[in-house]
């Protein structure tokens, strides 16, 4: 393995699948589901995570996350479900941060009871409040930072230390930061998850998930995963590898645009609140500076006139009112109508989602076009 210093070089070259036969510049694609078994001890099969393309891309993810090893899944939720259920059994308890991706909350609220797994959502970001909720049967602490859609930031090192002290597994959903802005393994977090549908894919055309962790934890996850299924097709693995080659360029452009847009919105009289870790007014701005190398491309804001939120998104001409995030194009969503729509209004309120909240995934367009689009929409509502 070559020792690349820069993260952009790692994005381009780490985990390359070398085309020894024809010396092509890019990774060849091996979509085979059948491999000869004579004269080999390792049974190659896509569901066992050991096809050439899966192994190569897993290595790239592991290198970007500073972990021993990594696995690829067919969606972010498959990565989340599998990581949780590889370690949980009936009677166990999990501590969750309260501000989480809506689909994760839905998974917990709808599925855990069926398996007699208990859980607590911790509303505070203070470590002592997590400690207070620990039970003798707690197995996992699960966090998301920055969180979707409120951009809450939690102290990774303190969560990792609390987990270690109590013999628990710490898991983070690192989707919003991407490995370019945050590598939680460096702070002692055990398992790092991504919805690769977002920044890793980056072009709004791939559904995928990743898990990065130590060799021993990845072994344990493989043991369960081969029974759960949920692998990523090698065709998509190949496309995801290509996408990640530009990850750091994309994310750095998005960081830069998002900072300017957050400042623009913060100074706009039509806007009540802006949530972005790069703003000095963000409650965890100092912590974000300590544990992130960039503040990310995601922000959210609340219009002064909450009833106008949907009209506002309809007035935008460049920024698209579409559901997902992390693509090269700027998109805006109303979390209460999309990511958190499966929750009741009361549940949403408990998780801090007002109906006037808008979540903005900042793309790589030239900043001036984005500002002009926002500004004409403010004039037109
Ligand atoms: C989208 C998302 C997920 C779920 O990922 P899918 O790829 O849609 O299954 C999980 N966590 C976060 C933070 C997300 O944004």
């Amino acid at each position: 393995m070559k020792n690349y210093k820069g993260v952009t070089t790692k994005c381009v070259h780490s985990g390359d699948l070398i085309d020894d036969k024809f010396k092509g510049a890019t990774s060849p694609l091996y979509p085979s589901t059948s491999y000869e078994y004579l004269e080999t001890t390792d049974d190659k099969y896509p569901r066992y995570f050991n096809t050439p393309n899966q192994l190569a891309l897993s290595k790239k993810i592991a290198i970007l996350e500073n972990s021993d090893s990594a696995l690829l899944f067919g969606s972010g939720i498959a990565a989340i479900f599998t990581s949780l259920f590889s370690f949980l059994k009936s009677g166990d308890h999990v501590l969750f941060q309260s501000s989480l991706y809506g689909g994760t909350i839905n998974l917990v609220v709808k599925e855990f009871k069926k398996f007699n797994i208990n859980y607590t959502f911790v509303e505070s970001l203070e470590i002592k409040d997590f400690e207070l909720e620990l039970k003798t049967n707690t197995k996992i602490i699960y966090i998301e930072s920055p969180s979707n859609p409120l951009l809450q930031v939690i102290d990774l090192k303190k969560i990792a230390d609390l987990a270690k002290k109590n013999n628990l597994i710490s898991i983070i959903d690192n989707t919003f930061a991407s490995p370019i802005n945050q590598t939680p393994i460096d702070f002692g977090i055990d398992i790092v998850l991504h919805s690769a549908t977002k920044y890793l894919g980056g072009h709004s055309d791939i559904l995928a998930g990743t898990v990065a962790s130590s060799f021993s934890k990845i072994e344990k996850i493989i043991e369960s995963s081969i029974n759960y299924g949920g692998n990523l097709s090698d065709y998509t693995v190949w496309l995801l590898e290509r996408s990640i080659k530009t990850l750091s360029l994309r994310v750095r452009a998005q960081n830069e645009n998002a900072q300017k847009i957050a400042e623009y919105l913060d100074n706009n009289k039509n806007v009540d609140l802006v949530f972005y870790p790069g703003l000095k007014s963000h409650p965890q701005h100092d912590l974000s500076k300590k544990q992130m190398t960039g503040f990310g491309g995601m922000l959210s804001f609340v219009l002064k006139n909450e009833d106008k939120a949907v009209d506002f998104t309809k007035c935008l001409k460049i920024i698209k009112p579409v559901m997902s995030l992390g693509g090269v194009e700027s998109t805006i969503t109303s979390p209460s109508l999309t990511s958190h729509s499966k929750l009741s209004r009361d549940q949403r309120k408990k998780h801090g989602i007002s109906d006037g909240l808008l979540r903005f995934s900042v793309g790589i367009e030239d900043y001036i076009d984005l500002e002009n689009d926002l500004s004409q929409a403010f004039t037109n509502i």
Side-chain angles (χ1 to χ4, degrees), residues 75-77 80 101 104 144 148 173 175-176 195 197-198 207-208 325:
S75 71
I77 279 289
I80 294 169
Y101 173 68
T104 308
E144 187 177 306
N148 182 3
D173 184 334
T175 299
F176 266 34
S195 166
T197 312
K198 315 298 166 52
L207 185 73
L325 64 102

Side-chain angles (χ1 to χ4, degrees), residues 77-368:
I77 279 289
I80 294 169
F81 174 87
T82 307
S83 300
L84 287 166
F85 279 78
S86 296
F87 295 95
L88 291 173
K89 61 177 189 328
S90 170
D92 285 345
H93 172 259
V94 184
L95 275 187
F96 286 94
Q97 179 183 336
S98 172
S99 174
L100 289 180
Y101 173 68
T104 308
I105 298 173
N106 204 41
L107 160 66
V108 174
V109 173
K110 297 272 164 67
E111 306 297 332
F112 271 37
K113 262 193 230 121
K114 295 182 195 168
F115 299 94
N116 188 32
I117 296 166
N118 307 295
Y119 57 87
T120 307
F121 284 110
V122 183
E123 265 161 55
S124 146
L125 298 170
E126 297 292 327
I127 305 307
K128 65 173 181 356
D129 294 320
F130 276 79
E131 198 159 16
L132 279 175
E133 297 292 346
L134 287 179
K135 301 185 194 315
T136 51
N137 56 343
T138 306
K139 286 285 152 62
I140 291 175
I141 305 184
Y142 184 105
I143 59 168
E144 187 177 306
S145 185
S147 70
N148 182 3
L150 293 175
L151 285 303
Q152 291 186 351
V153 173
I154 193 160
D155 194 316
L156 304 187
K157 169 127 199 336
K158 285 187 182 160
I159 286 287
D161 289 348
L162 179 66
K164 283 196 172 70
K165 201 174 95 188
N166 293 280
N167 238 333
L168 312 175
I169 298 170
S170 52
I171 303 183
I172 186 170
D173 184 334
N174 202 32
T175 299
F176 266 34
S178 88
I180 305 305
N181 289 327
Q182 180 169 275
T183 46
I185 299 275
D186 296 342
F187 298 89
I189 298 286
D190 293 314
I191 299 176
V192 179
L193 308 174
H194 282 280
S195 166
T197 312
K198 315 298 166 52
Y199 288 101
L200 300 183
H203 297 74
S204 309
D205 55 7
I206 285 176
L207 185 73
T210 67
V211 177
S213 190
S214 62
F215 289 121
S216 64
K217 291 213 166 48
I218 290 289
E219 274 310 307
K220 178 101 171 101
I221 294 172
I222 290 178
E223 247 177 65
S224 293
S225 302
I226 60 175
N227 300 320
Y228 297 157
N231 292 71
L232 189 59
S233 145
D234 276 299
Y235 293 101
T236 315
V237 170
W238 184 88
L239 195 54
L240 182 56
E241 191 220 307
R242 192 185 71 167
S243 302
I244 295 176
K245 285 179 191 284
T246 56
L247 178 67
S248 88
L249 295 183
R250 287 187 275 111
V251 168
R252 283 173 184 167
Q254 285 162 317
N255 288 346
E256 218 172 280
N257 274 347
Q259 181 72 39
K260 288 189 200 156
I261 285 171
E263 285 167 13
Y264 165 79
L265 291 171
D266 204 31
N267 289 316
N268 192 299
K269 60 180 188 325
N270 302 297
V271 176
D272 208 13
L273 278 170
V274 183
F275 304 98
Y276 185 66
L279 289 180
K280 285 203 183 71
S281 57
H282 188 282
Q284 294 99 31
H285 176 64
D286 289 334
L287 173 62
S288 307
K289 271 203 293 202
K290 259 202 314 212
Q291 64 188 30
M292 301 181 80
T293 48
F295 299 117
M298 295 301 302
L299 59 93
S300 54
F301 60 102
V302 182
L303 290 187
K304 275 229 171 74
N305 188 347
E306 292 215 16
D307 302 334
K308 290 277 188 200
V310 174
D311 286 346
F312 179 76
T313 61
K314 285 183 185 159
C315 287
L316 293 164
K317 296 192 161 70
I318 297 173
I319 302 158
K320 292 193 173 95
V322 301
M323 253 181 67
S324 204
L325 64 102
V328 289
E329 61 282 306
S330 290
T331 63
I332 198 160
T333 56
S334 154
S336 59
L337 297 181
T338 57
S339 64
H340 290 67
S341 64
K342 300 258 184 319
L343 308 180
S344 70
R345 203 186 180 137
D346 268 2
Q347 279 175 321
R348 278 202 297 273
K349 226 171 157 183
K350 252 173 70 187
H351 291 275
I353 319 295
S354 74
D355 289 355
L357 181 75
L358 290 173
R359 189 193 69 191
F360 192 165
S361 169
V362 181
I364 63 167
E365 299 93 338
D366 295 300
Y367 170 73
I368 188 64

